[in-house]
Structure formats: C-alpha cells, structure tokens
Amino acid sequence: MALDQQKGIWSSGRGNGKGRGTPKGRQLDDTAWDQVRALLGDRPRRRDLLIEFLHLIQDEYGHLSAPHLRALAEEMRLSMAEVWEVATFYAHFDPITEDETPPPDLTIRVCDSLSCELAGSEALLEALQSGHDPSRIRVLRAPCMGRCDTAPVAEIGHRHVDFATPERIDQVIAGGDLHPVVPDYEGFEDYRAGGGYTRLAELRDGGDWQEVQQELLDAGLRGMGGAGFPSGKKWGFVRANPGPRYLAVNGDEGEPGTFKDRYYLERQPHLMLEGMLIAAWAVEAEKCFIYMRDEYPAVLKILKKEIAALEQAGIAEPGYIDLRRGAGAYICGEESAMIESIEGKRGLPRLRPPYVAQDGVFGRPTLVHNVETLHLIARICREGPEIFSSVEHNGRKGMRSYSLSGRVANPGVYFLRAGTTIRELIEAAGGMAEGHEFKAYQPGGPSSGLLPASLDDVPLDFDTLQPHGTFIGSAAVVVLSDKDSAKEAALNMLRFFESESCGQCTPCRVGCEKAVKLMQADQWDQPLLNDLCDVMIDASICGLGQAAPNPIRLVMEHFADEVGGSRKDGGKA
C-alpha cells in the first residue's frame, strides 16, 4: 500500500498497520500560536529570552495557558517540557493546564516576611482572604517585597500599598490604577549636569584599569551583596580569562529585610549605571546584563527609561545594556543561579568550580557585582578612595548601607560607618518604637539568624560577627522587642527558606521542610535539630541550605528558654 493511502500519519510502532493522525503529546493550537507570535513580534527567538517571553504572555493574559506554552515551545523550537519546567519554577508565573481554572484577573500579594509579620501581616492576610470573593480576587502570601521600612506591604497587580490595611487596599482597587508608582528621581540630564559620566569618559579616553582597580582596593571596598569579596580583585580574575567577557548586575535583592538597592535605584539610578559602565570598561565586557527582581516594577520602569537615555546620548550602544526581569525566585540572588536565569533557565545554583569569573553567562568569563557595590564604585571613582578609607569607627574602616526595619521609630536605609553597632543604629533611627524594649536583632537577613540585645557592642561589618556564629550579609537588620518571640521569628525565617529552596539538593529541600516541622513543637528536639543542621551545612550545594540553620542554632544558643532549655546569657535581654 502506498504511503499516502495508509491510515493516519504516525505509525504506532506495533506493526499492526494502525497509525495516529497527530504526534503524541499536547497539540499545537493555531489561535494560540498566532497570539504568541503577535506578542513576540520581531524579537529573536533565542533560548535565553524564554523568561522574557513568558512575562509577555503572563502580562497579557494574566496566566500561562497550556496552549500558549505549547505555542511558545513551537515558536522557540523547544520541547514543551523545557518551557513547562521554567514556567513552573518561578512564583510570578501561573501555568494552567486545560482542566484547571485560570486565576482571577486581580491578585493581591501580602508580604509575610519577618518585618511585615511584626507589623501585622497575618491579620491583614486573614482580613483580605475573608473579605474578598476568591473567584474575583486572589489573595496570596508572598516573600519579602523589599519595602520593609513601610511594613506591612501588599501588592495589587504591580501597585504596592505601603502600611497596608484592608481599607487602603480597597481604595486602590476602587481607583483602578494598578501600575507601579514611580517616585521622583535624578534623571539622566540632571545627573550629567552634576558631573555624571565625566569620569567614565575620561577612563574610556585612555584610563588605566589597573589604577582604578587599585583605587577600589585602597578604599577597601568589598562586595555589598553579602559575600564581601574585595571588589577590585574580581576585575583581575575576569580579565585573566580570554574574551568575550560579560558583566552581570545582581539586582535580585531578595534577602528579607533588605531594601537598600531599591532605595538607591529609586533615587539615583545613574550612579549604579555609571559604576556598571566603569566596571564593564575595566574588564572589556562585550555586554552588560542587569538582572532586576520582578518585585521592583518601579525600578524596572526607571531603568528601562534611563538606559534608553544612555543609548540616545551615545554613552551606551543600543543593546549593550540588557535589562532582564526576574520572576520571583529568591535563589536567583545566588550569582550562578542568577546566570542560569539570565540564560532563560530555572535558577538552579551551579556546582563550583568553575567560578563565574571563568564560566559565567553563556559559558564566558563574567564579572558579577551587586547594585550597591556599583553605586559605590561610581562614587569612589568620582570622589576618591578617601571617602571610604579615611572613615574609621570601632576599629573598622569604610561606610556601608544598613536596611533597618522592625521595632524602631524610623525604619529606613542608613549610610553609616562600617563599625556601627546595633545600639548606634537604633539611635540613628530615633530609638525603639514607642512602648518597645530592645530584645534581639537579625544582623543580616534570615541567613544570619538572631542575636540577643546583650551583644549590642559588636560592630556590624564584615568579619566581626563570625565569632558569634553569624555574619553581616547584606546588612538587612531587623530589630525585635520584648513583645516578640525569638522562636516564632526563627520559624518565620525557616518557612521562608522552605518556600524558596530551589529543590535541587536533598539536604536543603528536605532539611528546611523537616526543620519547620520540628520547630513547631512546644519544646524543640535540640539534638535532632543540631544533627539536621550539620547535614544541611555540610552537604547543601549553595548558601541557602548552608545558612538556613543559623536561625535555629542561634535561638537555641541565646533564647533556649523559649524552646525548652536555659539561656546562655543567663536570661539577660
């Protein structure tokens, strides 16, 4: 029998003459395909743009339907499995199969991280869930939105509501404007009028990158994303590898309690942009990627506009700065996971070595800097290393930004001497909130755990907190009072890690889950928790699983009376 006379197209493989009219799996829907092609327009169908394309569909339709995902897979010449695994990895995407109901048009996200919980987010969440029809308005828990100074915070669409109450949220919904509110900030013309980009032009016109590198080393600048590696040394490591080279800006400020990067970008975005271009010049980067968390929609709008201004002014070639939008994954703050996400994949941390200075974006040498680091690079290059090296306090040199929230009178970002203690930081914020007495503090986000108020004379800087079993990290300082429970605060932190673990390695994925269950007991099984902590620290792939035990161990050490035991400090607050 001729092939065109056989029944069907695809052979069943069983030799029985029966065939199938379509290939196995989900079929391509022509209407969905036309819609996806219209959204993508003339954009190149590159694999690394998958997350950007998922955002286009999510923004347009409010969810990711299976027909649209199938059409996207067809358009990009990817398997449905590849598209589906990326769409399901990130919290801000809503992939929906044919038998599932799409989410309602309106979603309210309520931050449930520590600062917001202290400010009443649980009561807010309960009021919203009971006060709205779930078929019309979806109310979800969400991790830190980087607005801890205005806790509790909610997000409606892309509109944030600071000091959120049910009434304020209802007012925003009634008003109908769910776009981000862009604050007043220093734009390109104002920045350039004040001398901005003059130093960049000088360096491009014959500057020596090693001299600039030495300026950073003389200033003592270290990475402000948390690791604290000397910033200038990175340049030499990247340049030691053959090009092409790239630069990646880590703007995924996801550590609960941290909001300094947003603070600066919403006020002086060009300081970061000039610092980025100086660093890119130093390592001869062929392209700059800015990876910005999706929780910062106003920052994304600002950067898009100001990058266009740089291109129009001829300071950056069109396409040289590639702004990438995260999709709700804390793990992408880890530099190799961020690079995976830039490449359009799930944000799974890589095993190292090789390090990103050798094998980064698209397998090429990549310089990674945090937003605040680049902000300070620009300042040091413009004002000299003395702005850092000449400042000394409590035996520490330099300056740093502290994101301060919790039970203080005036939460906010404080740019202070690196040797500042928690008592001095609270004093700078106007003291404790009325009616509260200082009990404990989180020195560097949940990864750093909790310290008691008795350790109030320790400089909050790199290398000073390690003797106490913790670290400064991104300087996300949250203050607790006598009205708060250290045990409940630790549980909040571990629930965050449980939710945000990428799931790649068993010690972290299972360890966080088991820790949360054990920590809900009235009296903690401390030997078992210690064993669990040992396994997580020793065997987890990245810093999430390695640092997640810190809240557990520090609460057992300093607040044992709350979990069944006696306190190390004898019960002094």
Side-chain angles (χ1 to χ4, degrees), residues 93-148:
F93 293 141
D94 293 303
I96 302 295
T97 59
E98 290 84 351
D99 59 346
E100 293 179 319
T101 302
D105 292 338
L106 191 60
T107 296
I108 302 173
R109 288 183 166 87
V110 179
C111 178
D112 66 356
S113 293
L114 183 56
S115 297
C116 283
E117 184 176 277
L118 295 177
S121 64
E122 288 299 318
L124 175 63
L125 186 70
E126 184 178 339
L128 293 173
Q129 288 174 335
S130 60
H132 292 286
D133 180 356
S135 65
R136 292 184 55 252
I137 297 177
R138 178 175 58 161
V139 180
L140 301 176
R141 291 179 177 273
C144 186
M145 299 179 186
R147 309 181 75 87
C148 316

